[in-house]
Amino acid sequence: MLLSLFFVQGWGQSSSSIRKDQRRNRQQVEQARRNIRQNERDVENNLHELELLDGQIADINKDIRRLRGKSDSIVRLIRPLNDSISQLNSRLDAMCEKYRSALRRSQTNANSLNDITFVFSSTDFKQAWERYRSLRQFSRWRQRKSREIVETRQSLSLRHQRLDSLRAANQRVLKRVEQQRSSLERKKVETDRLVKSLKSHNSQLQKVLKRRQDEARKLEERLEKALAEELEQRRRQEEQAQKERARKEAERRRQAVSGDTVRPSESDRQYVEQKPSGSKDQLNDSRVLTGTFEDNKGKMPYPVNGDFTIVKRFGRQKHPRLPKVETNNPGIDIETTRGATVHAVFGGEVSQIFKLAGYNNVIVLRHGDYVTVYANIASLNVRKGDKVTIGQQLGRVYVDKADGNRSVLHFELRREKDKQNPELWLSR
């Protein structure tokens, strides 16, 4: 009896201990999973920050090159201006010396007498007339030379002002260059820190990159399928339109032979009434684009307003600091201010709207043979089938609260399936 009681008590304690161990093990496993997810989030945040820094560094280097070019242009203006100032100074000195010499000679010839005394001291009328004419000529010469000296001095003063202005402008440009260099150095230090951190978490980095590749592949497949369906639909519509045109032409010929009057059908009148009038699309920055989509290559606005940085550029690119990391971007990724609005880069029709993991809402606009893709949209302002104009608001960029409230728009531009570099089509 006592043995049985001891056995029951021992079994109860053992099962309770086992359950506690199981709960502790489950908690440890769950904590380990949370730690892994947090590490992956930290790695992705660092990778995003690195991409932003790389984009900012590229913009700063571009700005430095632009500022250096501006400084060189100013220096090229300063050099001939310095030469012209030197020539004017020499010319002014020569003019003043000639003027002083002429005055000294006139005073000597007149024996320090005034003009009237000099004229009336003549021996006869002819000599008096010659002296009077000589004095008038000298007076006109002196007035002319005096004006030339004054004008030369004014011109010299204006050129000195222009020179001072150019030098001041060049100093401002050079100061801006130094500021950009300092900013560049700070960003490089921060970049090195992030690279070191990412290299120390290589396994998590590879997982993040693999997930990105999978998301990009799914977007590519979805777009390829949608564009193929649209192309097939357009082909069928064109075939139907050709058949309808052929039918109408045969009907017109039949009525022409029978002498009947050919009247346009209701659909023909409707087409004529709805035919585009060639109106101009205008963005809120007063940019006016005319012609076809292709006619405006290099002129179209970016799909976001305000400050933004291109964090991923088009095409296959090796990471400048992470070895064995290579991306193949079918478009560009633009980091914007938080929740920035997205605008159509050209007039067109909303042909597709769908959701996709990693890209939230995706909007596809068709512009004839071309399409533009706007991905990672949070709120939508358009629906499938809507006609949009250039600059029209399509929605807002998604704000990723788990990634420091970052907002990154993925933008693509294609001619059907042929991917184009958007930076060659857009202009800031």
Side-chain angles (χ1 to χ4, degrees):
M1 182 70 178
L2 289 174
L3 182 62
S4 300
L5 181 61
F6 177 78
F7 178 78
V8 170
Q9 289 176 347
W11 172 256
Q13 291 175 353
S14 177
S15 62
S16 175
S17 176
I18 290 173
R19 284 195 297 271
K20 287 181 181 179
D21 289 342
Q22 287 175 339
R23 282 197 302 270
R24 186 167 55 251
N25 289 337
R26 284 196 298 268
Q27 289 172 355
Q28 289 176 349
V29 170
E30 184 59 31
Q31 183 61 44
R33 287 174 179 171
R34 284 197 295 268
N35 291 339
I36 291 172
R37 288 195 296 269
Q38 184 60 47
N39 285 338
E40 288 183 7
R41 280 197 296 268
D42 291 341
V43 166
E44 184 156 26
N45 292 350
N46 286 342
L47 188 57
H48 284 158
E49 192 172 350
L50 179 61
E51 290 166 348
L52 175 60
L53 284 169
D54 284 336
Q56 291 173 342
I57 287 172
D59 288 343
I60 290 174
N61 281 323
K62 185 177 180 180
D63 197 32
I64 288 175
R65 289 193 296 270
R66 180 185 62 81
L67 290 169
R68 282 176 175 169
K70 188 175 182 180
S71 178
D72 292 342
S73 299
I74 293 174
V75 170
R76 285 195 293 270
L77 292 174
I78 288 175
R79 287 171 183 167
L81 190 57
N82 270 325
D83 294 340
S84 67
I85 287 174
S86 298
Q87 292 173 1
L88 273 179
N89 276 322
S90 300
R91 181 183 171 190
L92 182 61
D93 291 342
M95 289 170 63
C96 290
E97 180 59 32
K98 187 176 181 181
Y99 187 76
R100 286 192 293 268
S101 298
L103 287 179
R104 285 194 295 268
R105 286 196 304 271
S106 67
Q107 291 173 357
T108 302
N109 293 337
N111 295 319
S112 301
L113 299 175
N114 60 42
D115 294 348
I116 296 175
T117 305
F118 179 64
V119 172
F120 282 99
S121 64
S122 304
T123 57
D124 53 27
F125 179 78
K126 182 178 180 182
Q127 187 182 43
W129 173 252
E130 291 294 335
R131 287 184 176 184
Y132 173 72
R133 190 175 64 175
S134 176
L135 287 173
R136 285 191 63 188
Q137 290 176 348
F138 178 73
S139 177
R140 287 195 294 268
W141 177 87
R142 187 173 60 184
Q143 291 173 359
R144 186 174 68 254
K145 290 300 176 183
S146 179
R147 285 195 302 271
E148 289 179 2
I149 290 173
V150 170
E151 290 171 356
T152 302
R153 282 176 175 165
Q154 290 175 345
S155 177
L156 195 56
S157 176
L158 290 174
R159 296 191 185 195
H160 274 296
Q161 292 176 11
R162 173 64 173 160
L163 181 60
D164 292 341
S165 175
L166 287 173
R167 284 174 174 168
N170 195 37
Q171 287 299 319
R172 289 194 297 271
V173 170
L174 293 176
K175 183 178 180 180
R176 178 64 177 161
V177 169
E178 288 305 314
Q179 290 173 345
Q180 292 290 64
R181 282 177 175 169
S182 298
S183 177
L184 186 62
E185 291 303 318
R186 290 194 300 270
K187 290 185 183 299
K188 283 182 177 179
V189 170
E190 182 65 15
T191 297
D192 292 339
R193 181 188 67 80
L194 289 170
V195 169
K196 186 177 180 180
S197 174
L198 288 170
K199 285 181 178 179
S200 66
H201 297 85
N202 186 61
S203 59
Q204 288 91 345
L205 175 61
Q206 296 305 320
K207 286 182 180 179
V208 170
L209 294 174
K210 177 67 167 54
R211 178 172 55 78
R212 283 187 175 186
Q213 291 173 355
D214 291 341
E215 291 172 350
R217 177 180 51 78
K218 290 177 181 177
L219 176 61
E220 175 76 11
E221 291 173 353
R222 184 68 180 268
L223 287 173
E224 292 286 340
K225 181 180 178 181
L227 294 177
E229 290 174 354
E230 286 185 18
L231 196 62
E232 177 62 21
Q233 184 179 6
R234 292 174 69 194
R235 185 189 64 78
R236 289 197 300 266
Q237 290 175 347
E238 181 60 28
E239 287 181 353
Q240 291 175 357
Q242 288 179 354
K243 290 178 181 178
E244 182 65 15
R245 285 194 294 269
R247 186 191 66 77
K248 288 181 179 180
E249 178 63 17
E251 179 68 15
R252 186 190 65 80
R253 290 178 178 177
R254 185 191 65 77
Q255 291 178 347
V257 171
S258 62
D260 294 339
T261 303
V262 181
R263 295 182 179 180
S265 64
E266 185 63 28
S267 61
D268 290 338
R269 287 197 296 270
Q270 187 177 7
Y271 174 77
V272 171
E273 291 167 1
Q274 293 181 352
K275 188 176 180 181
S277 60
S279 61
K280 298 178 181 179
D281 291 319
Q282 189 167 0
L283 193 61
N284 54 5
D285 63 355
S286 300
R287 189 183 317 214
V288 177
L289 303 181
T290 59
T292 65
F293 188 90
E294 195 167 21
D295 293 335
N296 291 281
K297 186 175 183 178
K299 303 176 186 177
M300 287 178 276
Y302 272 76
V304 290
N305 290 337
D307 295 331
F308 61 86
T309 301
I310 299 175
V311 294
K312 292 183 192 173
R313 288 189 147 78
F314 174 80
R316 188 177 297 278
Q317 297 184 24
K318 291 184 178 180
H319 199 280
R321 293 173 183 83
L322 294 174
K324 299 181 181 179
V325 174
E326 185 177 273
T327 58
N328 188 13
N329 196 353
I332 57 175
D333 287 29
I334 308 169
E335 183 156 339
T336 71
T337 54
R338 179 177 176 179
T341 55
V342 181
H343 303 268
V345 301
F346 201 77
E349 180 181 350
V350 180
S351 65
Q352 300 286 336
I353 293 181
F354 55 85
K355 275 182 172 288
L356 200 63
Y359 291 99
N360 294 287
N361 290 302
V362 180
I363 301 174
V364 181
L365 299 187
R366 177 161 288 281
H367 321 270
D369 293 334
Y370 291 85
V371 293
T372 51
V373 181
Y374 311 76
N376 204 30
I377 308 295
S379 58
L380 296 170
N381 290 6
V382 292
R383 294 178 297 179
K384 184 176 180 180
D386 285 355
K387 304 288 185 181
V388 299
T389 57
I390 181 172
Q392 182 172 329
Q393 188 177 128
L394 305 176
R396 289 188 178 273
V397 187
Y398 173 76
V399 179
D400 191 348
K401 295 180 180 178
D403 191 15
N405 291 323
R406 279 200 171 92
S407 294
V408 180
L409 174 73
H410 177 74
F411 177 77
E412 297 184 24
L413 193 155
R414 304 183 178 204
R415 183 173 186 178
E416 297 301 350
K417 296 183 179 181
D418 183 23
K419 305 177 187 68
Q420 306 278 320
N421 184 354
E423 290 188 75
L424 301 179
W425 291 77
L426 307 177
S427 172
R428 294 203 182 198

